[in-house]
Amino acid sequence: MPIIPLRDNIPTLRYPLVNKLLVGANVAVFLYELTQLQQLPWVLQRWGLIPARLWGLAPTGGLDPSPESALALPPAWLTLFTSMFLHAGWVHIGSNMLYLWIFGDNVEDRLGHLRYFLFYLLVGAVAGLMQAALSPYSVVPTVGASGAVAGVLGAYLLLYPWARISTLVPVLFFLTVLDVPAWLFLALWFLLQLWNGALSIAADPSVVRGVAWWAHIGGFVAGVLLLRWWKVRRRPAVPPW
């Protein structure tokens, strides 16, 4: 069972408007998906990120190759962004939105509303490109906000390394809540992504299976690098006690 964050101890100075709108948009799109169960495979194929279509190796992304089908598809580059708002199930959206809710408000607090929105879209797009680069022939749609959320986690690590994350942790047969330093929580999270990403390449680098681990890795690294490029500095460090 994975460790589950519950809250952090960093108050925000401004209302996290964009973060709440992003959570709301993801939830709204997922509720729409639930009304489209018969057409859901088509919705995911149309608006999800399909690596082979992005690179021009399968223009219709594995769908009916008729001209009418191709015309109904959005531009492949657009799916780098639309795929961020699609999810494959309750656990998928629940875990992504939990992380975004806990960590995103503080990153928005430091970046400001507009810059945070641009940051979210940019790191999400980089995450999608990373995953697509490692599975260029796949016609399986990649969906989910996890790449963008991973970028938020990377930014949080730079901005609030000494924050305390209240975390639900399994200990033997019981669950307990521990306050974990943010740097430790996020370092463990990133190492887990690296481990699973390496295993996915060893298994078959040409096929997307289940979790898009390299989207998580790419998004996290993109978040760190973009924050450093923008030269956003952390506020005075929170003491580790």
Side-chain angles (χ1 to χ4, degrees):
M1 179 179 179
I3 57 176
I4 301 172
L6 301 176
R7 69 185 71 85
D8 69 353
N9 69 334
I10 305 297
T12 57
L13 300 181
R14 73 180 92 200
Y15 185 76
L17 175 64
V18 172
N19 201 60
K20 290 190 174 183
L21 287 175
L22 287 171
V23 172
N26 277 279
V27 171
V29 171
F30 182 70
L31 293 178
Y32 169 76
E33 289 180 58
L34 295 180
T35 70
Q36 301 293 312
L37 292 181
Q38 297 297 324
Q39 298 296 321
L40 188 56
W42 162 249
V43 172
L44 297 181
Q45 288 284 135
R46 186 181 186 192
W47 297 106
L49 173 61
I50 299 177
R53 193 164 87 82
L54 182 67
W55 305 127
L57 302 174
T60 60
L63 295 174
D64 175 8
S66 66
E68 293 79 8
S69 176
L71 288 174
L73 293 172
W77 64 265
L78 185 61
T79 62
L80 284 169
F81 303 99
T82 58
S83 61
M84 297 181 206
F85 295 91
L86 296 167
H87 288 85
W90 288 100
V91 173
H92 192 202
I93 189 171
S95 59
N96 280 340
M97 294 304 101
L98 175 63
Y99 274 74
L100 184 59
W101 184 269
I102 292 173
F103 297 99
D105 59 342
N106 299 109
V107 177
E108 180 179 354
D109 195 36
R110 287 296 290 117
L111 295 182
H113 304 311
L114 177 59
R115 191 158 56 160
Y116 175 67
F117 181 65
L118 294 175
F119 173 89
Y120 184 89
L121 294 180
L122 285 172
V123 296
V126 170
L129 287 170
M130 181 75 162
Q131 184 66 33
L134 291 177
S135 54
Y137 296 99
S138 175
V139 293
V140 178
T142 299
V143 298
S146 53
V149 173
V152 171
L153 299 185
Y156 192 100
L157 176 61
L158 289 186
L159 294 172
Y160 307 101
W162 292 109
R164 309 295 291 190
I165 310 299
S166 295
T167 307
L168 192 64
V169 180
V171 178
L172 297 177
F173 301 104
F174 304 96
L175 293 175
T176 188
V177 177
L178 299 177
D179 281 345
V180 180
W183 68 265
L184 177 60
F185 180 95
L186 295 172
L188 291 174
W189 180 91
F190 185 68
L191 288 174
L192 179 63
Q193 314 311 305
L194 279 177
W195 172 257
N196 285 289
L199 291 179
S200 70
I201 287 184
D204 187 345
S206 65
V207 179
V208 175
R209 286 192 177 95
V211 180
W213 300 108
W214 286 98
H216 301 177
I217 296 166
F220 189 93
V221 173
V224 170
L225 294 179
L226 185 55
L227 207 70
R228 292 184 67 87
W229 184 48
W230 282 350
K231 298 181 180 179
V232 180
R233 300 185 182 277
R234 69 173 71 110
R235 293 197 177 103
V238 177
W241 53 78

PDB file of all heavy atoms in Angstrom, residues 21-43:
ATOM      1  N   LEU A  21      -9.717  25.774  -9.538  1.00  0.00           N
ATOM      2  CA  LEU A  21     -10.340  25.667 -10.856  1.00  0.00           C
ATOM      3  C   LEU A  21      -9.814  24.443 -11.615  1.00  0.00           C
ATOM      4  O   LEU A  21     -10.574  23.762 -12.314  1.00  0.00           O
ATOM      5  CB  LEU A  21     -10.092  26.942 -11.663  1.00  0.00           C
ATOM      6  CG  LEU A  21     -10.871  28.179 -11.228  1.00  0.00           C
ATOM      7  CD1 LEU A  21     -10.440  29.400 -12.048  1.00  0.00           C
ATOM      8  CD2 LEU A  21     -12.379  27.960 -11.375  1.00  0.00           C
ATOM      9  N   LEU A  22      -8.521  24.161 -11.477  1.00  0.00           N
ATOM     10  CA  LEU A  22      -7.949  22.981 -12.134  1.00  0.00           C
ATOM     11  C   LEU A  22      -8.545  21.701 -11.562  1.00  0.00           C
ATOM     12  O   LEU A  22      -8.894  20.776 -12.310  1.00  0.00           O
ATOM     13  CB  LEU A  22      -6.429  22.979 -11.977  1.00  0.00           C
ATOM     14  CG  LEU A  22      -5.668  24.003 -12.812  1.00  0.00           C
ATOM     15  CD1 LEU A  22      -4.195  24.046 -12.396  1.00  0.00           C
ATOM     16  CD2 LEU A  22      -5.777  23.692 -14.303  1.00  0.00           C
ATOM     17  N   VAL A  23      -8.653  21.639 -10.246  1.00  0.00           N
ATOM     18  CA  VAL A  23      -9.289  20.469  -9.630  1.00  0.00           C
ATOM     19  C   VAL A  23     -10.730  20.347 -10.110  1.00  0.00           C
ATOM     20  O   VAL A  23     -11.186  19.259 -10.486  1.00  0.00           O
ATOM     21  CB  VAL A  23      -9.228  20.571  -8.092  1.00  0.00           C
ATOM     22  CG1 VAL A  23     -10.067  19.469  -7.455  1.00  0.00           C
ATOM     23  CG2 VAL A  23      -7.786  20.475  -7.604  1.00  0.00           C
ATOM     24  N   GLY A  24     -11.449  21.465 -10.126  1.00  0.00           N
ATOM     25  CA  GLY A  24     -12.840  21.443 -10.575  1.00  0.00           C
ATOM     26  C   GLY A  24     -12.974  21.018 -12.025  1.00  0.00           C
ATOM     27  O   GLY A  24     -13.875  20.248 -12.381  1.00  0.00           O
ATOM     28  N   ALA A  25     -12.068  21.487 -12.884  1.00  0.00           N
ATOM     29  CA  ALA A  25     -12.113  21.122 -14.299  1.00  0.00           C
ATOM     30  C   ALA A  25     -11.868  19.634 -14.488  1.00  0.00           C
ATOM     31  O   ALA A  25     -12.548  18.968 -15.282  1.00  0.00           O
ATOM     32  CB  ALA A  25     -11.088  21.938 -15.083  1.00  0.00           C
ATOM     33  N   ASN A  26     -10.905  19.094 -13.762  1.00  0.00           N
ATOM     34  CA  ASN A  26     -10.624  17.660 -13.867  1.00  0.00           C
ATOM     35  C   ASN A  26     -11.812  16.829 -13.403  1.00  0.00           C
ATOM     36  O   ASN A  26     -12.165  15.825 -14.040  1.00  0.00           O
ATOM     37  CB  ASN A  26      -9.381  17.309 -13.037  1.00  0.00           C
ATOM     38  CG  ASN A  26      -8.085  17.565 -13.770  1.00  0.00           C
ATOM     39  OD1 ASN A  26      -7.641  16.759 -14.582  1.00  0.00           O
ATOM     40  ND2 ASN A  26      -7.477  18.709 -13.496  1.00  0.00           N
ATOM     41  N   VAL A  27     -12.412  17.223 -12.306  1.00  0.00           N
ATOM     42  CA  VAL A  27     -13.569  16.490 -11.793  1.00  0.00           C
ATOM     43  C   VAL A  27     -14.742  16.590 -12.765  1.00  0.00           C
ATOM     44  O   VAL A  27     -15.438  15.600 -13.034  1.00  0.00           O
ATOM     45  CB  VAL A  27     -13.958  17.011 -10.396  1.00  0.00           C
ATOM     46  CG1 VAL A  27     -15.286  16.410  -9.946  1.00  0.00           C
ATOM     47  CG2 VAL A  27     -12.865  16.691  -9.384  1.00  0.00           C
ATOM     48  N   ALA A  28     -14.971  17.786 -13.321  1.00  0.00           N
ATOM     49  CA  ALA A  28     -16.074  17.973 -14.256  1.00  0.00           C
ATOM     50  C   ALA A  28     -15.902  17.106 -15.498  1.00  0.00           C
ATOM     51  O   ALA A  28     -16.856  16.476 -15.978  1.00  0.00           O
ATOM     52  CB  ALA A  28     -16.188  19.450 -14.644  1.00  0.00           C
ATOM     53  N   VAL A  29     -14.677  17.059 -16.029  1.00  0.00           N
ATOM     54  CA  VAL A  29     -14.423  16.227 -17.215  1.00  0.00           C
ATOM     55  C   VAL A  29     -14.611  14.750 -16.878  1.00  0.00           C
ATOM     56  O   VAL A  29     -15.175  13.985 -17.675  1.00  0.00           O
ATOM     57  CB  VAL A  29     -12.997  16.482 -17.765  1.00  0.00           C
ATOM     58  CG1 VAL A  29     -12.653  15.465 -18.850  1.00  0.00           C
ATOM     59  CG2 VAL A  29     -12.903  17.890 -18.326  1.00  0.00           C
ATOM     60  N   PHE A  30     -14.187  14.334 -15.691  1.00  0.00           N
ATOM     61  CA  PHE A  30     -14.366  12.939 -15.313  1.00  0.00           C
ATOM     62  C   PHE A  30     -15.843  12.588 -15.181  1.00  0.00           C
ATOM     63  O   PHE A  30     -16.277  11.505 -15.607  1.00  0.00           O
ATOM     64  CB  PHE A  30     -13.632  12.649 -14.009  1.00  0.00           C
ATOM     65  CG  PHE A  30     -13.737  11.215 -13.569  1.00  0.00           C
ATOM     66  CD1 PHE A  30     -13.085  10.218 -14.279  1.00  0.00           C
ATOM     67  CD2 PHE A  30     -14.494  10.860 -12.463  1.00  0.00           C
ATOM     68  CE1 PHE A  30     -13.182   8.886 -13.893  1.00  0.00           C
ATOM     69  CE2 PHE A  30     -14.591   9.533 -12.067  1.00  0.00           C
ATOM     70  CZ  PHE A  30     -13.935   8.544 -12.781  1.00  0.00           C
ATOM     71  N   LEU A  31     -16.627  13.483 -14.610  1.00  0.00           N
ATOM     72  CA  LEU A  31     -18.071  13.241 -14.510  1.00  0.00           C
ATOM     73  C   LEU A  31     -18.693  13.148 -15.898  1.00  0.00           C
ATOM     74  O   LEU A  31     -19.600  12.339 -16.126  1.00  0.00           O
ATOM     75  CB  LEU A  31     -18.733  14.348 -13.690  1.00  0.00           C
ATOM     76  CG  LEU A  31     -18.346  14.387 -12.204  1.00  0.00           C
ATOM     77  CD1 LEU A  31     -19.019  15.564 -11.511  1.00  0.00           C
ATOM     78  CD2 LEU A  31     -18.708  13.073 -11.507  1.00  0.00           C
ATOM     79  N   TYR A  32     -18.197  13.957 -16.831  1.00  0.00           N
ATOM     80  CA  TYR A  32     -18.655  13.841 -18.220  1.00  0.00           C
ATOM     81  C   TYR A  32     -18.294  12.472 -18.792  1.00  0.00           C
ATOM     82  O   TYR A  32     -19.108  11.846 -19.489  1.00  0.00           O
ATOM     83  CB  TYR A  32     -18.036  14.953 -19.066  1.00  0.00           C
ATOM     84  CG  TYR A  32     -18.248  14.749 -20.552  1.00  0.00           C
ATOM     85  CD1 TYR A  32     -19.482  15.014 -21.139  1.00  0.00           C
ATOM     86  CD2 TYR A  32     -17.208  14.268 -21.360  1.00  0.00           C
ATOM     87  CE1 TYR A  32     -19.686  14.807 -22.500  1.00  0.00           C
ATOM     88  CE2 TYR A  32     -17.400  14.072 -22.709  1.00  0.00           C
ATOM     89  CZ  TYR A  32     -18.642  14.341 -23.282  1.00  0.00           C
ATOM     90  OH  TYR A  32     -18.839  14.132 -24.618  1.00  0.00           O
ATOM     91  N   GLU A  33     -17.092  11.994 -18.495  1.00  0.00           N
ATOM     92  CA  GLU A  33     -16.695  10.667 -18.964  1.00  0.00           C
ATOM     93  C   GLU A  33     -17.669   9.597 -18.484  1.00  0.00           C
ATOM     94  O   GLU A  33     -17.994   8.649 -19.216  1.00  0.00           O
ATOM     95  CB  GLU A  33     -15.284  10.325 -18.472  1.00  0.00           C
ATOM     96  CG  GLU A  33     -14.168  11.107 -19.126  1.00  0.00           C
ATOM     97  CD  GLU A  33     -12.811  10.688 -18.562  1.00  0.00           C
ATOM     98  OE1 GLU A  33     -12.487   9.496 -18.652  1.00  0.00           O
ATOM     99  OE2 GLU A  33     -12.103  11.557 -18.020  1.00  0.00           O
ATOM    100  N   LEU A  34     -18.134   9.735 -17.246  1.00  0.00           N
ATOM    101  CA  LEU A  34     -19.054   8.745 -16.696  1.00  0.00           C
ATOM    102  C   LEU A  34     -20.375   8.712 -17.441  1.00  0.00           C
ATOM    103  O   LEU A  34     -21.082   7.699 -17.417  1.00  0.00           O
ATOM    104  CB  LEU A  34     -19.308   9.028 -15.211  1.00  0.00           C
ATOM    105  CG  LEU A  34     -18.098   8.889 -14.274  1.00  0.00           C
ATOM    106  CD1 LEU A  34     -18.501   9.207 -12.849  1.00  0.00           C
ATOM    107  CD2 LEU A  34     -17.485   7.499 -14.369  1.00  0.00           C
ATOM    108  N   THR A  35     -20.734   9.807 -18.104  1.00  0.00           N
ATOM    109  CA  THR A  35     -21.971   9.831 -18.892  1.00  0.00           C
ATOM    110  C   THR A  35     -21.754   9.307 -20.299  1.00  0.00           C
ATOM    111  O   THR A  35     -22.702   9.195 -21.066  1.00  0.00           O
ATOM    112  CB  THR A  35     -22.529  11.267 -18.980  1.00  0.00           C
ATOM    113  OG1 THR A  35     -21.667  12.078 -19.805  1.00  0.00           O
ATOM    114  CG2 THR A  35     -22.661  11.892 -17.602  1.00  0.00           C
ATOM    115  N   GLN A  36     -20.512   9.002 -20.641  1.00  0.00           N
ATOM    116  CA  GLN A  36     -20.175   8.578 -22.005  1.00  0.00           C
ATOM    117  C   GLN A  36     -19.612   7.155 -22.035  1.00  0.00           C
ATOM    118  O   GLN A  36     -18.732   6.853 -22.841  1.00  0.00           O
ATOM    119  CB  GLN A  36     -19.140   9.538 -22.605  1.00  0.00           C
ATOM    120  CG  GLN A  36     -19.586  10.978 -22.677  1.00  0.00           C
ATOM    121  CD  GLN A  36     -20.725  11.172 -23.669  1.00  0.00           C
ATOM    122  OE1 GLN A  36     -20.662  10.700 -24.799  1.00  0.00           O
ATOM    123  NE2 GLN A  36     -21.774  11.849 -23.237  1.00  0.00           N
ATOM    124  N   LEU A  37     -20.118   6.278 -21.162  1.00  0.00           N
ATOM    125  CA  LEU A  37     -19.516   4.957 -21.033  1.00  0.00           C
ATOM    126  C   LEU A  37     -19.507   4.191 -22.352  1.00  0.00           C
ATOM    127  O   LEU A  37     -18.546   3.473 -22.658  1.00  0.00           O
ATOM    128  CB  LEU A  37     -20.244   4.163 -19.948  1.00  0.00           C
ATOM    129  CG  LEU A  37     -20.064   4.692 -18.510  1.00  0.00           C
ATOM    130  CD1 LEU A  37     -20.793   3.815 -17.520  1.00  0.00           C
ATOM    131  CD2 LEU A  37     -18.588   4.792 -18.155  1.00  0.00           C
ATOM    132  N   GLN A  38     -20.564   4.320 -23.139  1.00  0.00           N
ATOM    133  CA  GLN A  38     -20.600   3.610 -24.414  1.00  0.00           C
ATOM    134  C   GLN A  38     -19.592   4.185 -25.403  1.00  0.00           C
ATOM    135  O   GLN A  38     -19.014   3.463 -26.215  1.00  0.00           O
ATOM    136  CB  GLN A  38     -22.017   3.682 -25.008  1.00  0.00           C
ATOM    137  CG  GLN A  38     -23.085   3.001 -24.180  1.00  0.00           C
ATOM    138  CD  GLN A  38     -22.850   1.500 -24.060  1.00  0.00           C
ATOM    139  OE1 GLN A  38     -22.387   0.851 -25.003  1.00  0.00           O
ATOM    140  NE2 GLN A  38     -23.154   0.940 -22.893  1.00  0.00           N
ATOM    141  N   GLN A  39     -19.382   5.491 -25.332  1.00  0.00           N
ATOM    142  CA  GLN A  39     -18.484   6.159 -26.265  1.00  0.00           C
ATOM    143  C   GLN A  39     -17.113   6.457 -25.664  1.00  0.00           C
ATOM    144  O   GLN A  39     -16.282   7.083 -26.316  1.00  0.00           O
ATOM    145  CB  GLN A  39     -19.121   7.499 -26.720  1.00  0.00           C
ATOM    146  CG  GLN A  39     -20.439   7.353 -27.456  1.00  0.00           C
ATOM    147  CD  GLN A  39     -20.256   6.602 -28.775  1.00  0.00           C
ATOM    148  OE1 GLN A  39     -19.277   6.794 -29.479  1.00  0.00           O
ATOM    149  NE2 GLN A  39     -21.218   5.758 -29.105  1.00  0.00           N
ATOM    150  N   LEU A  40     -16.873   5.988 -24.431  1.00  0.00           N
ATOM    151  CA  LEU A  40     -15.642   6.369 -23.739  1.00  0.00           C
ATOM    152  C   LEU A  40     -14.371   5.959 -24.485  1.00  0.00           C
ATOM    153  O   LEU A  40     -13.428   6.753 -24.558  1.00  0.00           O
ATOM    154  CB  LEU A  40     -15.639   5.799 -22.325  1.00  0.00           C
ATOM    155  CG  LEU A  40     -14.499   6.271 -21.422  1.00  0.00           C
ATOM    156  CD1 LEU A  40     -14.485   7.791 -21.323  1.00  0.00           C
ATOM    157  CD2 LEU A  40     -14.625   5.650 -20.031  1.00  0.00           C
ATOM    158  N   PRO A  41     -14.295   4.745 -25.060  1.00  0.00           N
ATOM    159  CA  PRO A  41     -13.073   4.418 -25.818  1.00  0.00           C
ATOM    160  C   PRO A  41     -12.786   5.421 -26.927  1.00  0.00           C
ATOM    161  O   PRO A  41     -11.629   5.790 -27.159  1.00  0.00           O
ATOM    162  CB  PRO A  41     -13.378   3.025 -26.377  1.00  0.00           C
ATOM    163  CG  PRO A  41     -14.352   2.442 -25.406  1.00  0.00           C
ATOM    164  CD  PRO A  41     -15.213   3.591 -24.982  1.00  0.00           C
ATOM    165  N   TRP A  42     -13.850   5.881 -27.615  1.00  0.00           N
ATOM    166  CA  TRP A  42     -13.671   6.874 -28.672  1.00  0.00           C
ATOM    167  C   TRP A  42     -13.223   8.208 -28.091  1.00  0.00           C
ATOM    168  O   TRP A  42     -12.333   8.875 -28.633  1.00  0.00           O
ATOM    169  CB  TRP A  42     -14.966   7.045 -29.452  1.00  0.00           C
ATOM    170  CG  TRP A  42     -15.045   8.296 -30.269  1.00  0.00           C
ATOM    171  CD1 TRP A  42     -15.848   9.365 -30.056  1.00  0.00           C
ATOM    172  CD2 TRP A  42     -14.275   8.629 -31.437  1.00  0.00           C
ATOM    173  NE1 TRP A  42     -15.643  10.343 -30.994  1.00  0.00           N
ATOM    174  CE2 TRP A  42     -14.676   9.914 -31.859  1.00  0.00           C
ATOM    175  CE3 TRP A  42     -13.291   7.969 -32.152  1.00  0.00           C
ATOM    176  CZ2 TRP A  42     -14.120  10.547 -32.964  1.00  0.00           C
ATOM    177  CZ3 TRP A  42     -12.735   8.606 -33.255  1.00  0.00           C
ATOM    178  CH2 TRP A  42     -13.148   9.866 -33.655  1.00  0.00           C
ATOM    179  N   VAL A  43     -13.807   8.607 -26.952  1.00  0.00           N
ATOM    180  CA  VAL A  43     -13.420   9.863 -26.311  1.00  0.00           C
ATOM    181  C   VAL A  43     -11.941   9.830 -25.934  1.00  0.00           C
ATOM    182  O   VAL A  43     -11.192  10.796 -26.176  1.00  0.00           O
ATOM    183  CB  VAL A  43     -14.285  10.124 -25.062  1.00  0.00           C
ATOM    184  CG1 VAL A  43     -13.763  11.331 -24.280  1.00  0.00           C
ATOM    185  CG2 VAL A  43     -15.740  10.357 -25.464  1.00  0.00           C
TER     186      VAL A  43
END
